[in-house]
Coordinates of all heavy atoms in Angstrom, one line a residue:
L1 N 8.1 61.3 1.0 CA 6.7 61.8 0.7 C 6.5 62.0 -0.8 O 5.4 61.7 -1.2 CB 6.6 63.2 1.4 CG 5.3 63.5 2.1 CD1 5.1 65.0 2.4 CD2 5.0 62.5 3.2
Q2 N 7.5 62.4 -1.5 CA 7.2 62.5 -3.0 C 7.0 61.1 -3.6 O 6.2 61.0 -4.6 CB 8.5 63.2 -3.6 CG 8.6 64.7 -3.4 CD 9.8 65.2 -4.1 OE1 10.7 64.6 -4.2 NE2 9.6 66.5 -4.6
Q3 N 7.7 60.2 -3.1 CA 7.5 58.8 -3.6 C 6.0 58.4 -3.4 O 5.5 57.8 -4.3 CB 8.5 57.9 -2.9 CG 8.6 56.5 -3.5 CD 9.4 56.5 -4.9 OE1 10.1 57.6 -5.2 NE2 9.5 55.5 -5.6
D4 N 5.5 58.6 -2.3 CA 4.1 58.3 -2.0 C 3.2 59.1 -2.9 O 2.2 58.6 -3.4 CB 3.7 58.6 -0.5 CG 4.4 57.7 0.5 OD1 4.9 56.5 0.0 OD2 4.6 58.0 1.6
E5 N 3.5 60.3 -3.1 CA 2.6 61.2 -4.0 C 2.6 60.6 -5.4 O 1.5 60.5 -6.1 CB 3.0 62.6 -4.0 CG 2.8 63.4 -2.7 CD 3.4 64.7 -2.7 OE1 3.9 65.2 -3.8 OE2 3.4 65.3 -1.5
L6 N 3.7 60.2 -5.9 CA 3.8 59.5 -7.1 C 3.0 58.3 -7.4 O 2.4 58.0 -8.3 CB 5.3 59.3 -7.7 CG 6.1 60.6 -7.9 CD1 7.6 60.2 -8.2 CD2 5.6 61.3 -9.2
A7 N 3.1 57.5 -6.3 CA 2.4 56.2 -6.3 C 0.9 56.4 -6.3 O 0.1 55.6 -6.8 CB 3.0 55.3 -5.1
A8 N 0.4 57.5 -5.6 CA -0.9 57.7 -5.4 C -1.6 58.2 -6.6 O -2.8 58.1 -6.9 CB -1.2 58.6 -4.2
S9 N -0.8 59.0 -7.5 CA -1.4 59.7 -8.6 C -1.7 58.6 -9.7 O -0.9 57.7 -9.9 CB -0.5 60.8 -9.2 OG 0.7 60.2 -9.6
P10 N -2.8 58.7 -10.4 CA -3.1 57.9 -11.5 C -2.1 57.9 -12.7 O -1.7 59.0 -13.0 CB -4.5 58.3 -11.9 CG -4.7 59.7 -11.4 CD -3.7 59.8 -10.3
S11 N -1.8 56.8 -13.3 CA -0.9 56.9 -14.4 C -1.5 57.5 -15.6 O -2.8 57.4 -15.7 CB -0.3 55.4 -14.6 OG -1.4 54.6 -15.0
I12 N -0.8 58.0 -16.4 CA -1.1 58.6 -17.7 C -1.6 57.4 -18.5 O -0.9 56.4 -18.6 CB 0.0 59.3 -18.3 CG1 0.4 60.5 -17.5 CG2 -0.4 59.8 -19.7 CD1 1.6 61.2 -18.0
P13 N -2.7 57.6 -19.3 CA -3.2 56.5 -20.2 C -2.1 56.1 -21.2 O -1.5 56.9 -21.7 CB -4.4 57.0 -20.9 CG -4.9 58.2 -20.0 CD -3.6 58.7 -19.3
D14 N -1.9 54.8 -21.4 CA -1.0 54.3 -22.4 C -1.4 54.7 -23.8 O -2.5 54.5 -24.2 CB -0.9 52.8 -22.2 CG 0.1 52.2 -23.1 OD1 -0.1 52.0 -24.3 OD2 1.3 51.9 -22.6
E15 N -0.5 55.2 -24.6 CA -0.8 55.6 -26.0 C -1.3 54.5 -26.8 O -2.2 54.7 -27.6 CB 0.5 56.3 -26.6 CG 0.7 57.6 -26.0 CD 2.0 58.3 -26.6 OE1 2.2 58.0 -27.8 OE2 2.7 59.0 -26.0
N16 N -0.7 53.4 -26.6 CA -1.2 52.2 -27.5 C -2.6 51.7 -27.1 O -3.4 51.4 -28.0 CB -0.2 51.0 -27.2 CG 1.1 51.2 -27.8 OD1 1.3 51.8 -28.8 ND2 2.1 50.8 -27.1
I17 N -3.0 51.9 -25.8 CA -4.3 51.5 -25.4 C -5.3 52.5 -25.9 O -6.3 52.2 -26.4 CB -4.3 51.4 -23.8 CG1 -3.5 50.1 -23.4 CG2 -5.9 51.3 -23.4 CD1 -3.4 50.0 -21.9
I18 N -4.9 53.8 -26.0 CA -5.8 54.9 -26.5 C -6.0 54.5 -27.9 O -7.1 54.7 -28.4 CB -5.1 56.2 -26.2 CG1 -5.3 56.5 -24.7 CG2 -6.0 57.3 -27.0 CD1 -4.6 57.9 -24.3
A19 N -4.9 54.2 -28.6 CA -5.0 54.0 -30.1 C -6.0 52.7 -30.3 O -6.8 52.8 -31.2 CB -3.6 53.7 -30.7
Q20 N -5.8 51.8 -29.5 CA -6.7 50.6 -29.7 C -8.1 51.0 -29.4 O -9.0 50.6 -30.1 CB -6.2 49.4 -28.8 CG -5.1 48.7 -29.2 CD -5.3 47.8 -30.4 OE1 -6.2 47.3 -30.5 NE2 -4.3 47.9 -31.3
A21 N -8.4 51.8 -28.3 CA -9.7 52.2 -28.0 C -10.3 53.0 -29.1 O -11.5 52.9 -29.4 CB -9.6 53.0 -26.7
D22 N -9.4 53.8 -29.8 CA -9.9 54.6 -30.9 C -10.4 53.6 -32.1 O -11.4 54.0 -32.7 CB -8.9 55.7 -31.4 CG -8.8 56.8 -30.4 OD1 -9.7 57.0 -29.6 OD2 -7.7 57.5 -30.3
E23 N -9.6 52.7 -32.4 CA -9.9 51.6 -33.4 C -11.2 51.1 -33.2 O -12.0 50.8 -34.0 CB -8.8 50.8 -33.5 CG -7.6 51.2 -34.3 CD -6.5 50.2 -34.5 OE1 -6.9 48.9 -34.7 OE2 -5.4 50.4 -34.4
I24 N -11.4 50.6 -31.8 CA -12.6 50.0 -31.4 C -13.7 50.9 -31.7 O -14.9 50.6 -32.1 CB -12.6 49.6 -30.0 CG1 -11.6 48.4 -29.9 CG2 -13.9 49.2 -29.4 CD1 -11.2 47.9 -28.5
A25 N -13.5 52.3 -31.2 CA -14.7 53.2 -31.5 C -15.0 53.3 -33.0 O -16.2 53.4 -33.3 CB -14.2 54.6 -31.0
D26 N -14.0 53.3 -33.9 CA -14.3 53.3 -35.3 C -15.0 52.1 -35.6 O -16.0 52.2 -36.4 CB -13.0 53.4 -36.0 CG -12.3 54.7 -35.9 OD1 -12.9 55.7 -35.5 OD2 -11.1 54.8 -36.3
S27 N -14.6 50.9 -35.2 CA -15.5 49.7 -35.5 C -16.9 49.8 -35.0 O -17.8 49.3 -35.6 CB -14.7 48.5 -34.8 OG -13.4 48.3 -35.4
L28 N -17.1 50.3 -33.8 CA -18.4 50.5 -33.2 C -19.2 51.4 -34.1 O -20.4 51.2 -34.3 CB -18.3 51.0 -31.8 CG -17.7 50.0 -30.8 CD1 -17.6 50.7 -29.5 CD2 -18.5 48.9 -30.7
K29 N -18.7 52.5 -34.7 CA -19.3 53.4 -35.6 C -19.8 52.6 -36.8 O -21.0 52.7 -37.2 CB -18.5 54.6 -36.1 CG -18.4 55.6 -34.9 CD -17.4 56.7 -35.4 CE -17.1 57.6 -34.1 NZ -16.1 58.6 -34.5
E30 N -19.0 51.8 -37.4 CA -19.3 50.9 -38.5 C -20.5 49.9 -38.1 O -21.4 49.8 -38.9 CB -18.2 50.2 -39.0 CG -17.1 50.9 -39.6 CD -15.9 50.1 -40.0 OE1 -15.9 48.9 -40.2 OE2 -14.7 50.8 -40.1
L31 N -20.4 49.3 -37.0 CA -21.4 48.5 -36.5 C -22.7 49.2 -36.3 O -23.8 48.6 -36.7 CB -20.9 47.8 -35.3 CG -21.9 46.7 -34.6 CD1 -22.1 45.6 -35.6 CD2 -21.2 46.2 -33.4
E32 N -22.6 50.4 -35.8 CA -23.8 51.1 -35.5 C -24.5 51.4 -36.8 O -25.8 51.4 -37.0 CB -23.4 52.4 -34.8 CG -24.6 53.3 -34.3 CD -24.2 54.4 -33.3 OE1 -23.1 54.9 -33.5 OE2 -25.0 54.8 -32.5
E33 N -23.8 51.8 -37.9 CA -24.3 52.0 -39.2 C -25.1 50.8 -39.7 O -26.2 50.8 -40.3 CB -23.3 52.5 -40.3 CG -22.8 53.8 -39.8 CD -21.5 54.2 -40.7 OE1 -21.2 53.4 -41.7 OE2 -20.9 55.2 -40.5
E34 N -24.4 49.6 -39.4 CA -25.2 48.3 -39.8 C -26.4 48.1 -39.0 O -27.4 47.7 -39.6 CB -24.2 47.2 -39.6 CG -23.1 47.0 -40.5 CD -23.5 46.7 -41.9 OE1 -24.4 45.7 -42.1 OE2 -23.0 47.3 -42.8
L35 N -26.4 48.4 -37.8 CA -27.5 48.3 -36.9 C -28.7 49.2 -37.3 O -29.9 48.9 -37.1 CB -27.2 48.5 -35.4 CG -26.4 47.4 -34.8 CD1 -26.0 47.8 -33.4 CD2 -27.1 46.1 -34.8
N36 N -28.4 50.3 -37.8 CA -29.4 51.3 -38.2 C -30.2 50.8 -39.4 O -31.4 51.1 -39.6 CB -28.7 52.6 -38.7 CG -28.3 53.4 -37.4 OD1 -28.7 53.3 -36.4 ND2 -27.3 54.3 -37.8
K37 N -29.7 49.7 -40.0 CA -30.5 49.1 -41.2 C -31.6 48.2 -40.6 O -32.6 48.0 -41.2 CB -29.5 48.3 -42.1 CG -28.6 49.2 -42.9 CD -27.5 48.3 -43.6 CE -26.5 49.2 -44.2 NZ -25.4 48.4 -44.8
G38 N -31.4 47.6 -39.4 CA -32.4 46.8 -38.9 C -32.6 47.2 -37.4 O -32.2 48.4 -37.0
N39 N -33.3 46.4 -36.8 CA -33.7 46.8 -35.3 C -33.5 45.6 -34.5 O -34.4 44.8 -34.3 CB -35.1 47.4 -35.3 CG -35.5 48.0 -33.9 OD1 -34.5 48.2 -33.1 ND2 -36.8 48.2 -33.7
D40 N -32.4 45.6 -33.7 CA -32.1 44.5 -32.9 C -31.7 45.0 -31.4 O -30.6 45.5 -31.4 CB -31.0 43.5 -33.4 CG -30.8 42.3 -32.7 OD1 -31.1 42.3 -31.5 OD2 -30.1 41.4 -33.2
P41 N -32.6 44.9 -30.6 CA -32.3 45.5 -29.2 C -31.1 44.8 -28.6 O -30.3 45.6 -27.9 CB -33.6 45.2 -28.4 CG -34.6 44.8 -29.4 CD -34.0 44.4 -30.7
E42 N -30.9 43.6 -28.7 CA -29.6 42.9 -28.2 C -28.4 43.6 -28.7 O -27.5 43.9 -27.9 CB -29.7 41.4 -28.5 CG -30.2 40.5 -27.4 CD -30.0 39.1 -27.7 OE1 -29.0 38.6 -28.0 OE2 -31.1 38.4 -27.7
L43 N -28.3 43.7 -29.9 CA -27.1 44.3 -30.6 C -26.9 45.8 -30.1 O -25.8 46.2 -29.9 CB -27.1 44.1 -32.1 CG -26.9 42.8 -32.6 CD1 -27.0 42.8 -34.1 CD2 -25.6 42.2 -32.3
E44 N -28.0 46.4 -30.0 CA -28.0 47.8 -29.6 C -27.4 48.0 -28.1 O -26.6 48.8 -27.9 CB -29.4 48.5 -29.7 CG -29.8 48.8 -31.1 CD -31.1 49.4 -31.3 OE1 -31.8 49.8 -30.2 OE2 -31.8 49.3 -32.3
Q45 N -27.9 47.1 -27.3 CA -27.4 47.1 -26.0 C -25.9 46.7 -25.9 O -25.1 47.3 -25.2 CB -28.2 46.0 -25.1 CG -27.7 45.9 -23.7 CD -27.9 47.2 -22.8 OE1 -28.9 48.0 -23.2 NE2 -27.0 47.5 -21.9
L46 N -25.5 45.8 -26.7 CA -24.0 45.4 -26.8 C -23.2 46.6 -27.3 O -22.2 46.9 -26.7 CB -23.9 44.2 -27.8 CG -22.4 43.8 -28.0 CD1 -21.8 43.3 -26.8 CD2 -22.4 42.8 -29.2
L47 N -23.7 47.2 -28.3 CA -23.1 48.4 -28.8 C -22.9 49.4 -27.8 O -21.8 50.1 -27.5 CB -23.8 48.9 -30.0 CG -23.2 50.1 -30.8 CD1 -22.0 49.7 -31.5 CD2 -24.2 50.6 -31.8
K48 N -23.9 49.8 -26.9 CA -23.9 50.7 -25.8 C -22.9 50.3 -24.9 O -22.0 51.2 -24.4 CB -25.2 50.8 -25.2 CG -25.2 51.8 -24.1 CD -26.7 51.9 -23.5 CE -26.7 52.9 -22.3 NZ -27.9 52.8 -21.6
E49 N -22.8 49.0 -24.4 CA -21.8 48.6 -23.5 C -20.4 48.6 -23.9 O -19.5 49.1 -23.3 CB -22.1 47.1 -23.1 CG -23.4 46.9 -22.2 CD -23.8 45.5 -22.0 OE1 -22.9 44.6 -22.3 OE2 -24.9 45.3 -21.6
L50 N -20.2 48.4 -25.3 CA -18.9 48.4 -25.9 C -18.4 49.9 -25.9 O -17.1 50.1 -25.7 CB -18.8 47.7 -27.2 CG -19.0 46.3 -27.2 CD1 -19.1 45.7 -28.7 CD2 -17.9 45.5 -26.5
K51 N -19.2 50.8 -26.2 CA -18.9 52.2 -26.3 C -18.4 52.6 -24.9 O -17.4 53.4 -24.8 CB -20.0 53.0 -26.8 CG -20.4 53.1 -28.2 CD -21.5 53.9 -28.5 CE -21.8 54.0 -30.0 NZ -22.9 54.9 -30.3
E52 N -19.0 52.3 -23.8 CA -18.7 52.7 -22.4 C -17.4 52.1 -22.2 O -16.5 52.8 -21.6 CB -19.8 52.2 -21.5 CG -21.2 52.9 -21.6 CD -22.2 52.3 -20.7 OE1 -22.0 51.4 -20.0 OE2 -23.4 52.8 -20.9
K53 N -17.1 50.9 -22.5 CA -15.9 50.2 -22.2 C -14.8 50.9 -22.9 O -13.6 51.1 -22.4 CB -15.9 48.7 -22.5 CG -16.7 47.9 -21.5 CD -16.6 46.5 -21.8 CE -17.5 45.5 -20.8 NZ -17.4 44.2 -21.1
A54 N -15.0 51.2 -24.2 CA -13.9 51.9 -25.0 C -13.5 53.2 -24.3 O -12.3 53.5 -24.3 CB -14.3 52.1 -26.4
E55 N -14.5 53.9 -23.8 CA -14.2 55.2 -23.1 C -13.4 55.0 -21.8 O -12.5 55.7 -21.5 CB -15.5 56.0 -22.9 CG -16.1 56.6 -24.2 CD -15.1 57.5 -24.9 OE1 -14.5 58.3 -24.3 OE2 -15.0 57.3 -26.1
E56 N -13.8 53.9 -21.1 CA -13.1 53.6 -19.9 C -11.6 53.3 -20.1 O -10.7 53.6 -19.3 CB -13.7 52.3 -19.2 CG -15.0 52.6 -18.6 CD -15.8 51.3 -18.1 OE1 -15.0 50.3 -18.1 OE2 -16.9 51.3 -17.7
L57 N -11.2 52.7 -21.3 CA -9.9 52.5 -21.6 C -9.0 53.7 -21.7 O -7.8 53.7 -21.6 CB -9.8 51.5 -22.9 CG -10.4 50.2 -22.8 CD1 -10.3 49.6 -24.2 CD2 -9.6 49.4 -21.9
K58 N -9.7 54.8 -21.9 CA -8.9 56.1 -22.3 C -8.6 56.8 -20.9 O -7.9 57.8 -20.9 CB -9.7 57.0 -23.2 CG -9.8 56.4 -24.5 CD -10.7 57.3 -25.4 CE -10.9 56.8 -26.9 NZ -11.7 57.6 -27.6
E59 N -9.2 56.4 -19.9 CA -9.1 56.9 -18.6 C -7.7 56.7 -17.9 O -7.0 55.6 -18.2 CB -10.2 56.6 -17.5 CG -11.5 57.0 -18.0 CD -12.6 56.4 -17.2 OE1 -12.2 55.8 -16.1 OE2 -13.8 56.6 -17.3
P60 N -7.2 57.7 -17.2 CA -5.9 57.5 -16.5 C -6.0 56.4 -15.5 O -7.1 56.1 -14.9 CB -5.6 58.8 -15.7 CG -6.5 59.8 -16.4 CD -7.7 59.0 -16.9
G61 N -4.9 55.7 -15.3 CA -4.8 54.6 -14.3 C -5.2 53.3 -14.8 O -5.4 52.3 -13.9
V62 N -5.4 53.0 -16.1 CA -6.0 51.8 -16.5 C -4.7 50.9 -16.6 O -3.7 51.2 -17.1 CB -6.6 51.9 -17.9 CG1 -6.9 50.6 -18.6 CG2 -7.8 52.8 -17.9
D63 N -4.9 49.7 -16.0 CA -3.9 48.6 -16.0 C -3.7 48.1 -17.4 O -4.7 47.7 -18.1 CB -4.3 47.5 -15.1 CG -3.2 46.4 -15.1 OD1 -2.1 46.7 -14.5 OD2 -3.6 45.3 -15.5
V64 N -2.5 48.1 -17.9 CA -2.3 47.6 -19.3 C -2.7 46.3 -19.6 O -3.5 46.0 -20.6 CB -0.8 47.7 -19.6 CG1 -0.5 47.2 -21.0 CG2 -0.3 49.2 -19.6
K65 N -2.4 45.3 -18.7 CA -2.8 44.0 -18.9 C -4.3 43.9 -18.9 O -5.0 43.1 -19.7 CB -2.3 42.9 -17.8 CG -0.8 42.7 -18.0 CD -0.3 41.8 -16.9 CE 1.2 41.6 -17.0 NZ 1.7 40.7 -16.0
E66 N -5.0 44.5 -18.0 CA -6.5 44.5 -17.9 C -7.1 45.1 -19.2 O -8.0 44.6 -19.8 CB -6.9 45.3 -16.7 CG -8.2 44.9 -16.1 CD -8.5 45.6 -14.8 OE1 -7.8 45.4 -13.8 OE2 -9.3 46.5 -14.8
A67 N -6.5 46.2 -19.6 CA -7.0 46.9 -20.8 C -6.8 46.0 -22.1 O -7.7 45.9 -22.8 CB -6.2 48.2 -21.0
L68 N -5.7 45.3 -22.1 CA -5.6 44.4 -23.4 C -6.5 43.3 -23.3 O -7.1 42.9 -24.4 CB -4.1 43.8 -23.4 CG -3.0 44.9 -23.6 CD1 -1.6 44.3 -23.4 CD2 -3.1 45.5 -25.0
A69 N -6.8 42.8 -22.2 CA -7.9 41.7 -22.0 C -9.2 42.2 -22.5 O -10.0 41.6 -23.2 CB -7.9 41.2 -20.6
K70 N -9.6 43.5 -22.0 CA -10.8 44.1 -22.4 C -11.0 44.3 -23.9 O -11.9 44.1 -24.6 CB -11.0 45.4 -21.8 CG -11.5 45.4 -20.3 CD -11.9 46.7 -19.8 CE -12.4 46.6 -18.4 NZ -12.6 48.0 -17.8
I71 N -9.8 44.8 -24.5 CA -9.7 45.1 -25.9 C -10.0 43.8 -26.7 O -10.8 43.7 -27.6 CB -8.3 45.7 -26.3 CG1 -8.2 47.2 -25.8 CG2 -8.1 45.6 -27.8 CD1 -6.9 47.7 -25.9
S72 N -9.4 42.7 -26.3 CA -9.6 41.4 -27.0 C -11.1 41.0 -26.8 O -11.6 40.5 -27.9 CB -8.6 40.4 -26.3 OG -8.7 39.2 -26.9
E73 N -11.5 41.0 -25.7 CA -13.1 40.7 -25.5 C -13.9 41.5 -26.4 O -14.8 41.1 -27.1 CB -13.4 40.9 -24.1 CG -12.7 39.8 -23.2 CD -13.1 40.2 -21.7 OE1 -14.2 41.0 -21.4 OE2 -12.5 39.7 -20.8
M74 N -13.6 42.9 -26.4 CA -14.4 43.8 -27.3 C -14.3 43.5 -28.7 O -15.3 43.5 -29.4 CB -14.0 45.3 -26.9 CG -14.4 45.6 -25.5 SD -13.7 47.2 -25.0 CE -14.6 48.2 -26.1
Q75 N -13.1 43.2 -29.1 CA -12.8 42.9 -30.5 C -13.7 41.7 -31.0 O -14.3 41.6 -32.1 CB -11.4 42.8 -30.8 CG -10.7 44.1 -30.9 CD -9.2 44.0 -31.1 OE1 -8.6 43.0 -30.6 NE2 -8.6 45.0 -31.6
A76 N -13.7 40.7 -30.1 CA -14.4 39.4 -30.4 C -15.9 39.7 -30.3 O -16.6 39.2 -31.3 CB -14.0 38.3 -29.3
A77 N -16.3 40.5 -29.4 CA -17.7 40.9 -29.4 C -18.3 41.6 -30.6 O -19.2 41.4 -31.3 CB -18.1 41.6 -28.1
I78 N -17.4 42.5 -31.2 CA -17.6 43.3 -32.4 C -17.6 42.3 -33.5 O -18.6 42.4 -34.3 CB -16.6 44.4 -32.6 CG1 -16.7 45.5 -31.5 CG2 -16.7 45.0 -34.0 CD1 -15.6 46.5 -31.5
Q79 N -16.7 41.4 -33.7 CA -16.7 40.5 -34.7 C -18.0 39.7 -34.8 O -18.6 39.4 -35.8 CB -15.5 39.7 -34.8 CG -14.2 40.4 -35.2 CD -12.9 39.5 -35.1 OE1 -13.0 38.5 -34.4 NE2 -12.0 39.9 -35.8
S80 N -18.4 39.1 -33.6 CA -19.5 38.4 -33.5 C -20.8 39.2 -33.9 O -21.6 38.7 -34.6 CB -19.7 37.9 -32.1 OG -20.9 37.3 -31.9
A81 N -20.8 40.5 -33.5 CA -22.0 41.3 -33.7 C -22.1 41.6 -35.3 O -23.2 41.6 -35.8 CB -22.0 42.6 -32.9
Q82 N -20.9 41.8 -35.7 CA -20.9 42.1 -37.3 C -21.4 40.9 -38.1 O -22.0 41.1 -39.0 CB -19.4 42.5 -37.7 CG -19.1 43.9 -37.2 CD -17.7 44.3 -37.5 OE1 -16.8 43.5 -37.5 NE2 -17.5 45.6 -37.8
S83 N -20.9 39.7 -37.6 CA -21.3 38.5 -38.3 C -22.8 38.3 -38.2 O -23.5 37.9 -39.1 CB -20.6 37.3 -37.6 OG -19.3 37.3 -37.9
Q84 N -23.3 38.6 -37.0 CA -24.8 38.4 -36.8 C -25.5 39.4 -37.6 O -26.6 39.0 -38.2 CB -25.1 38.7 -35.3 CG -26.3 38.2 -34.7 CD -26.4 38.2 -33.2 OE1 -25.8 39.1 -32.6 NE2 -27.3 37.4 -32.7
A85 N -25.0 40.6 -37.7 CA -25.7 41.6 -38.5 C -25.7 41.3 -40.0 O -26.7 41.6 -40.7 CB -25.0 43.1 -38.2
S86 N -24.6 40.7 -40.4 CA -24.6 40.4 -41.8 C -25.4 39.2 -42.2 O -25.8 39.0 -43.4 CB -23.1 40.1 -42.3 OG -22.7 39.0 -41.7
L87 N -25.9 38.4 -41.2 CA -26.7 37.3 -41.4 C -28.2 37.7 -41.6 O -29.0 36.9 -42.1 CB -26.5 36.3 -40.4 CG -25.2 35.5 -40.3 CD1 -25.2 34.5 -39.1 CD2 -24.9 34.6 -41.5
E88 N -28.5 38.8 -41.0 CA -29.9 39.3 -41.1 C -30.2 40.0 -42.4 O -29.6 40.4 -43.2 CB -30.1 40.3 -39.9 CG -29.9 39.6 -38.6 CD -30.0 40.5 -37.4 OE1 -30.1 41.7 -37.6 OE2 -30.0 40.0 -36.2

């Protein structure tokens, strides 16, 4: 019975994933500052989605492999958005 209870409870968020999520949040703040200089609805929507995903990574029970894949995707999206913002 105890074994089942342990398996059913959500795992504690991985510290490395939380650290990465925090780094992403910092990058998003920088990107948000860049966006405040202009008005691009597409980039604003992307920023909103990335913020939500970063918060999801901090929740208990997040699969490490899945989280790393999301982090990688988010970092690529942030870089792309920053490049796009700097071109404007």
Side-chain angles (χ1 to χ4, degrees):
L1 224 203
Q2 284 183 326
Q3 194 74 9
D4 291 339
E5 288 174 10
L6 287 176
S9 65
S11 62
I12 297 171
D14 185 279
E15 289 179 26
N16 294 323
I17 292 173
I18 290 176
Q20 287 290 320
D22 288 339
E23 282 183 35
I24 288 170
D26 290 342
S27 295
L28 291 174
K29 285 178 188 172
E30 291 174 24
L31 184 58
E32 190 170 28
E33 289 171 11
E34 286 292 319
L35 287 176
N36 286 336
K37 296 175 186 174
N39 189 16
D40 187 337
E42 258 183 61
L43 287 177
E44 288 177 16
Q45 180 62 31
L46 174 65
L47 185 64
K48 181 181 175 185
E49 290 172 15
L50 291 174
K51 282 182 179 180
E52 290 171 4
K53 286 183 181 181
E55 286 304 311
E56 288 173 9
L57 292 174
K58 296 178 184 180
E59 294 176 4
V62 172
D63 179 67
V64 175
K65 287 182 183 178
E66 210 173 286
L68 292 175
K70 276 187 184 178
I71 288 169
S72 180
E73 289 175 18
M74 291 171 68
Q75 288 172 330
I78 290 168
Q79 287 178 339
S80 174
Q82 286 174 328
S83 295
Q84 199 172 22
S86 68
L87 292 176
E88 294 176 356

